[in-house]
């Protein structure tokens, strides 16, 4: 049975499946777990066979997945796309009251326009390049330019506690910016430099700002959030609790943690004082991680959300941490369920001012902005971005591959009020001045003697291919090098191997080759389907950070292992079932003590429960081991309910029950 069903509601799960899933969620969140851990989490409530069958159903329905290590060890995990629904389940089963603060909050506001800032950074990388040293680090000069481009501030990111390559050289804000571009697939690291991936960039600039932010948010959640269950719980519950925020949107972290403690998402050992009703700021207990460290982790995460423009953090009058979203986090986490993702981005128009500045409102599409980045200088990247057309920007655009006609077409098509006459005249003059002279790349052939040079000049096979510029030197067009080399070798003048070039690589601005790369029709029309359009089914996989090599060490390794698509056959849980009397599973009987022991031992081998009649009642007994003796006894548990406290092992002897049968949760 191939695991392909990733849809469905948690209410469709069986009671056993729901119990196993909920306990795995509370203990591990979306973190990996060993195959035997769900069995330990359901000890005394479900038999091993019941838990295994529940896991089989969960995997078949896409609520759990598995990977296999090279030595055969199986690792289970809840896929992250399922987490929003599961936290909704917890909220439905244990209602949260409105979470808000009645006290004024000192606000630390989010940045705006991260999507535009990343686009600007990519445009500068396209022009300037990011060369690497022989040790694989970014050149100091390029690193300084990147530091100036990053929209982040180091004090907002250090609380994430990230580990990343070359941390002694790269400031945290620059490392995260580069890692974000790498993990989205917009950049790739090669032997001598970082390179923009044009196919991914072409798909990226077709997205709306909302869609871009969605991919950035999901990357932030799982790449820069710690791979540890309690912090993953906090990250997702902060999203889920957004619907319970008050009118101002502010949520005190203390109240959220109190609820999480109540439902078991954070242990008392991890968090002490969360249930306190005092007005003092929250206190944390010391433990494997100190309480102060946990509080710092939470504050570091809130500051990072603010740095990425997702919300604002603050402190109320009691000194308690508070947060409010300026996005809809649940829509961001859902897998393409929002209507906004079904449509294409708005085109929008900009305004060209008499002073050569271009005012770009937020609704202007990003493929249009990309071309503006090429042919203009950016003045500011605020909500209303401002660009300026200059002689230098026009010259650079044409030199980097943008045709002059494409610049005029862009401005004519998307300027709401047209291009002022004096601006057009200046553009035509600047464009006309570019290319009146040009550098040509040629090869110099230098002969050892004057006589050898004369021989080369007289050879009929080289006529028209060489231009003599001195007694021993010739200019050779680059495309003729191979033919000339062959001819020289034939007359005994084979040239030495050409030295490797030392010039810096020539940069070209990507995605400006076509004069009408942007959409057809009026400026307000939608993008028409073409080879650059990405549908909603593929966008998630194109920009997914999973498995991509960035700079940050995430601690997540599941992508290194082989995904197991087919769960084990349930019949494998009951080996040699044909040798077991059918009456053991189908009938209630009283057996001789030796046969009763055989039945109990079979139940232990299959990890299944046994039904026992004790005092006129039928009970479910989960045996663990048989204790030899006269009489023998069996240690195990009475099956308890889901909400029961930790089960206690008990011991029974054969004389304590009057009838029994194997409780096999499967038709053999």
């Amino acid at each position: 049975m191939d695991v392909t069903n990733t849809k469905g509601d948690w209410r469709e799960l069986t009671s056993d499946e729901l119990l196993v899933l909920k306990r795995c969620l509370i203990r591990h969140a979306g973190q990996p777990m060993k195959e035997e851990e769900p069995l330990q989490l359901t000890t005394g409530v479900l038999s091993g066979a019941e838990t295994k069958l529940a896991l089989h159903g969960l995997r078949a329905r896409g609520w759990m997945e598995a990977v296999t290590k090279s030595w055969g060890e199986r690792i289970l995990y809840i896929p992250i796309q399922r987490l929003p629904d599961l936290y909704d389940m917890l909220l439905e089963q244990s209602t949260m009251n409105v979470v808000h603060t009645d006290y004024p909050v000192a606000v630390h506001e989010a940045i705006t326009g991260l999507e535009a800032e990343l686009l600007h950074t990519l445009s500068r990388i396209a022009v300037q390049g990011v060369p690497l040293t022989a040790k694989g680090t970014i050149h100091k000069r390029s690193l300084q330019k990147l530091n100036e481009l990053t929209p982040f501030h180091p004090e907002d990111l250090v609380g994430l506690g990230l580990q990343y390559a070359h941390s002694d050289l790269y400031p945290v804000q620059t490392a995260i910016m580069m890692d974000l571009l790498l993990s989205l697939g917009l950049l790739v690291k090669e032997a001598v430099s970082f390179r923009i991936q044009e196919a991914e960039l072409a798909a990226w600039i077709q997205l709306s700002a909302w869609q871009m932010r969605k991919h950035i948010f999901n990357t932030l959640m799982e790449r820069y959030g710690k791979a540890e269950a309690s912090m993953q719980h906090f990250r997702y519950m902060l999203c889920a609790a957004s619907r319970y925020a008050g009118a101002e949107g502010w949520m005190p972290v203390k109240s959220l943690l109190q609820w999480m403690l109540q439902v078991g998402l954070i242990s008392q050992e991890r968090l002490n004082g969360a249930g306190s009703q005092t007005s003092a700021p929250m206190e944390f207990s010391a433990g494997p991680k100190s309480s102060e460290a946990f509080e710092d982790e939470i504050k570091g995460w809130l500051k990072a959300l603010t740095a990425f423009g997702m919300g604002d953090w603050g402190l109320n009058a009691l000194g308690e941490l508070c947060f409010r979203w300026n996005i809809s986090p649940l829509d961001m986490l859902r897998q393409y369920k929002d209507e906004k993702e079904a449509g294409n981005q708005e085109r929008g128009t900009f305004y060209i001012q008499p002073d050569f500045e271009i005012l770009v409102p937020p609704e202007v599409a990003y493929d249009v902005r990309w071309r503006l980045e090429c042919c203009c200088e950016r003045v500011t990247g605020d909500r209303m971005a401002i660009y300026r057309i200059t002689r230098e920007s026009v010259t650079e655009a044409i030199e980097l591959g943008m045709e002059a006609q494409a610049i005029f077409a862009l401005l004519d098509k998307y300027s709401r009020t047209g291009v002022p006459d004096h601006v057009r005249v200046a553009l035509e003059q600047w464009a006309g001045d570019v290319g009146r002279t040009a550098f040509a790349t040629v090869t110099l052939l230098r002969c050892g003697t004057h006589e050898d040079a004369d021989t080369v000049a007289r050879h009929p096979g080289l006529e028209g291919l060489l231009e003599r510029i001195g007694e021993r030197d010739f200019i050779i067009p680059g495309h003729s090098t191979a033919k000339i080399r062959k001819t020289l070798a034939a007359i005994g003048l084979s040239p030495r191997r050409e030295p490797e070039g030392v010039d810096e690589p020539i940069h070209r601005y990507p995605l400006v080759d076509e004069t009408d790369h942007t959409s057809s029709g009026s400026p307000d029309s939608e993008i028409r389907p073409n080879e650059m359009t990405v549908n909603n089914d593929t966008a998630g996989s194109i920009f997914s950070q999973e498995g991509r090599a960035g700079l940050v060490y995430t601690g997540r390794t599941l992508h290194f292992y082989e995904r197991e698509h087919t769960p084990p056959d349930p019949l494998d849980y009951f080996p040699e079932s044909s040798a077991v009397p059918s009456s053991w599973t189908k009938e209630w009987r009283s057996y001789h003590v030796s046969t009763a022991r055989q039945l109990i031992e079979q139940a232990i081998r299959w990890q299944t429960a046994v039904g026992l009649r004790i005092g006129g009642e039928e009970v479910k007994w989960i045996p663990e081991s048989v204790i030899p003796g006269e009489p023998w006894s069996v240690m195990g548990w009475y099956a308890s309910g889901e909400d029961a406290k930790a089960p206690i092992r008990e011991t029974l002897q054969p004389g304590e029950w009057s009838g029994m049968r194997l409780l096999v949760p499967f038709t053999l």
Side-chain angles (χ1 to χ4, degrees):
M1 181 179 185
D2 193 31
V3 182
T4 57
N5 180 14
T6 58
K7 299 183 183 299
D9 190 276
W10 59 266
R11 297 173 185 82
E12 300 171 2
L13 300 175
T14 67
S15 59
D16 286 356
E17 290 169 347
L18 198 56
L19 187 152
V20 171
L21 183 60
K22 184 176 178 180
R23 293 203 170 187
C24 288
L25 171 70
I26 290 175
R27 176 64 63 87
H28 296 284
Q31 303 303 314
M33 68 194 89
K34 295 182 178 180
E35 185 178 19
E36 61 270 17
E37 291 193 51
L39 300 175
Q40 298 167 359
L41 293 175
T42 55
T43 296
V45 181
L46 298 179
S47 67
E50 289 172 320
T51 300
K52 289 178 180 179
L53 288 172
L55 288 171
H56 183 279
L58 291 171
R59 291 185 58 191
R61 296 170 187 253
W63 288 96
M64 294 194 77
E65 294 182 1
V67 295
T68 306
K69 295 185 176 181
S70 57
W71 54 91
E73 181 183 2
R74 184 179 291 121
I75 300 295
L76 303 174
Y77 63 96
I78 300 172
I80 59 172
Q81 62 267 24
R82 290 295 199 177
L83 293 181
D85 290 331
L86 294 180
Y87 290 106
D88 281 348
M89 174 190 73
L90 294 180
L91 285 168
E92 182 171 318
Q93 295 177 349
S94 181
T95 304
M96 177 184 290
N97 295 324
V98 175
V99 180
H100 67 280
T101 178
D102 295 326
Y103 299 96
V105 177
V107 185
H108 297 260
E109 293 186 346
I111 69 166
T112 58
L114 177 58
E115 302 79 27
E117 293 294 337
L118 291 181
L119 197 75
H120 177 63
T121 300
L122 283 168
S123 74
R124 295 302 90 197
I125 290 175
V127 173
Q128 301 166 0
V130 185
L132 300 174
T133 66
K135 295 182 179 180
T137 60
I138 299 173
H139 275 279
K140 187 175 181 179
R141 183 179 177 185
S142 294
L143 184 60
Q144 179 60 39
K145 292 179 179 178
L146 291 173
N147 293 343
E148 295 170 358
L149 287 171
T150 179
F152 303 120
H153 302 291
E155 60 271 17
D156 295 331
L157 301 172
V158 292
L160 291 173
L162 299 178
Q163 295 180 332
Y164 55 89
H166 310 299
S167 58
D168 56 330
L169 299 176
Y170 301 164
V172 62
Q173 69 274 18
T174 304
I176 288 183
M177 179 185 68
M178 292 296 289
D179 184 85
L180 181 60
L181 295 175
L182 287 165
S183 60
L184 290 170
L186 300 172
L187 277 186
V188 64
K189 185 179 181 181
E190 296 185 334
V192 297
S193 67
F194 288 94
R195 176 179 60 82
I196 290 177
Q197 300 208 89
E198 291 195 22
E200 286 76 4
L201 176 60
W204 182 257
I205 61 178
Q206 293 282 7
L207 301 179
S208 66
W210 190 93
Q211 291 168 316
M212 289 180 177
R213 185 169 296 191
K214 176 185 175 72
H215 294 300
I216 293 171
F217 180 65
N218 280 274
T219 301
L220 170 64
M221 285 285 286
E222 287 307 316
R223 189 166 183 84
Y224 307 132
K226 288 198 172 183
E228 186 251 339
S230 61
M231 277 305 297
Q232 191 173 36
H233 282 320
F234 177 78
R235 294 196 297 273
Y236 280 88
M237 282 311 307
L238 189 67
C239 297
S242 60
R243 69 183 66 177
Y244 297 94
E248 298 297 322
W250 285 105
M251 296 182 292
V253 172
K254 178 178 179 179
S255 299
L256 178 59
L257 292 177
Q258 287 175 338
W259 184 88
M260 292 174 65
L261 183 67
Q262 173 189 331
V263 298
L265 294 177
I266 299 179
S267 66
Q268 188 66 57
E269 291 74 21
R270 182 78 160 114
L271 174 64
N272 186 33
S276 173
Q277 299 301 314
T278 66
S279 60
M282 188 179 308
E283 297 178 356
F284 291 79
S285 66
K289 286 185 171 182
S290 70
S291 58
E292 292 79 10
F294 186 45
E295 185 175 21
D296 288 344
E297 289 175 14
I298 290 176
K299 187 174 182 179
W301 177 247
L302 300 184
K303 293 177 74 172
L305 287 174
T306 300
F308 275 73
M310 305 300 170
D312 308 323
W313 75 275
L315 297 172
N316 65 16
L318 302 179
E320 297 172 339
L321 275 172
C322 300
F323 185 81
R324 67 179 174 191
W325 293 100
N326 60 23
I327 62 169
S328 175
L330 295 177
D331 289 339
M332 293 281 179
L333 291 174
R334 301 294 182 189
Q335 295 295 303
Y336 314 110
K337 291 183 179 179
D338 195 278
E339 292 181 0
K340 299 175 189 176
E341 296 221 11
N344 292 304
Q345 59 178 327
E346 294 294 327
R347 307 309 305 143
T349 53
F350 48 69
Y351 303 87
I352 303 178
Q353 303 298 295
D355 60 358
F356 291 79
E357 287 191 346
I358 301 178
L359 307 182
V360 183
E363 62 269 17
V364 172
Y366 280 82
D367 59 342
V368 177
R369 291 171 183 252
W370 179 253
R371 294 192 149 209
L372 288 175
E373 289 279 354
C374 175
C375 61
C376 303
E377 294 178 359
R378 195 181 74 152
V379 178
T380 178
D382 293 336
R383 182 169 176 80
M384 174 71 79
I386 301 176
Y387 291 86
R388 180 183 293 117
I389 311 171
T390 66
R391 177 190 293 272
E392 291 76 13
S393 67
V394 171
T395 300
E396 183 180 70
I398 295 175
E399 288 180 344
L400 293 177
M402 190 173 191
E403 298 290 341
Q405 186 56 41
I407 299 176
F408 293 119
L410 176 71
L411 300 181
D412 286 333
K413 186 172 186 178
Y414 293 103
S415 174
R416 172 70 72 177
T417 55
V419 182
D421 291 340
H422 69 285
V423 173
R424 185 181 299 277
V425 170
L427 281 173
E428 290 173 349
Q429 180 179 341
W430 296 339
D433 290 343
V434 180
R436 297 180 68 175
T437 61
F439 291 102
T441 301
V442 296
T443 300
L444 178 68
L445 173 65
R446 174 160 291 165
C447 299
T449 66
H450 185 276
E451 290 74 15
D452 289 343
D454 289 342
T455 300
V456 171
R458 292 193 300 264
H459 195 284
L462 298 174
E463 186 177 356
L465 298 179
L466 305 169
E467 179 184 348
R468 194 165 185 170
I469 59 173
E471 289 188 357
R472 296 184 297 132
D473 299 330
F474 299 83
I475 289 178
I476 299 173
H479 61 82
S480 302
T481 302
K483 181 178 179 180
I484 294 172
R485 176 185 291 276
K486 185 176 181 180
T487 304
L488 292 173
I491 62 176
L493 294 174
S494 180
R496 297 174 183 172
R497 181 179 179 182
E498 295 173 339
E500 295 182 0
V502 295
D503 292 338
E504 293 185 0
I506 298 175
H507 297 288
R508 292 183 62 82
Y509 206 81
L511 308 182
V512 294
D513 292 337
E514 300 177 13
T515 55
D516 193 15
H517 167 72
T518 50
S519 64
S520 304
S522 66
D524 294 319
S525 65
E526 294 182 345
I527 301 174
R528 293 185 179 182
N530 54 47
E531 67 276 9
M532 308 301 288
T533 301
V534 179
N535 61 45
N536 293 328
D537 295 329
T538 60
S541 60
I542 289 176
F543 303 115
S544 171
Q545 57 86 27
E546 184 177 359
R548 282 202 168 105
L551 298 181
V552 172
Y553 306 134
T554 66
R556 294 169 172 83
T557 59
L558 289 174
H559 58 274
F560 290 125
Y561 307 120
E562 181 180 358
R563 184 180 173 191
E564 188 178 74
H565 293 277
T566 305
D569 188 331
L571 287 174
D572 294 341
Y573 304 148
F574 307 100
E576 302 178 353
S577 58
S578 59
V580 176
S582 61
S583 59
W584 285 12
T585 62
K586 297 179 180 178
E587 301 176 16
W588 286 88
R589 285 190 180 183
S590 177
Y591 295 99
H592 186 273
V593 290
S594 61
T595 305
R597 178 171 178 169
Q598 291 177 340
L599 190 151
I600 291 289
E601 290 173 339
Q602 184 63 56
I604 293 172
R605 284 193 291 273
W606 280 352
Q607 294 185 304
T608 191
V610 176
L612 301 177
R613 284 178 173 164
I614 299 177
E617 295 184 0
E618 295 177 357
V619 299
K620 180 180 176 182
W621 175 262
I622 303 174
E624 181 187 44
S625 60
V626 171
I627 304 173
E630 292 294 338
W632 60 270
S633 56
V634 57
M635 182 178 293
W637 302 269
Y638 288 107
S640 59
E642 176 184 354
D643 298 324
K645 296 181 179 179
I648 300 176
R649 284 186 178 87
E650 298 191 42
T651 302
L652 293 179
Q653 294 181 344
E656 296 184 51
W657 64 81
S658 58
M660 63 189 305
R661 76 180 181 95
L662 277 176
L663 300 179
V664 178
F666 192 82
T667 303
L668 298 176

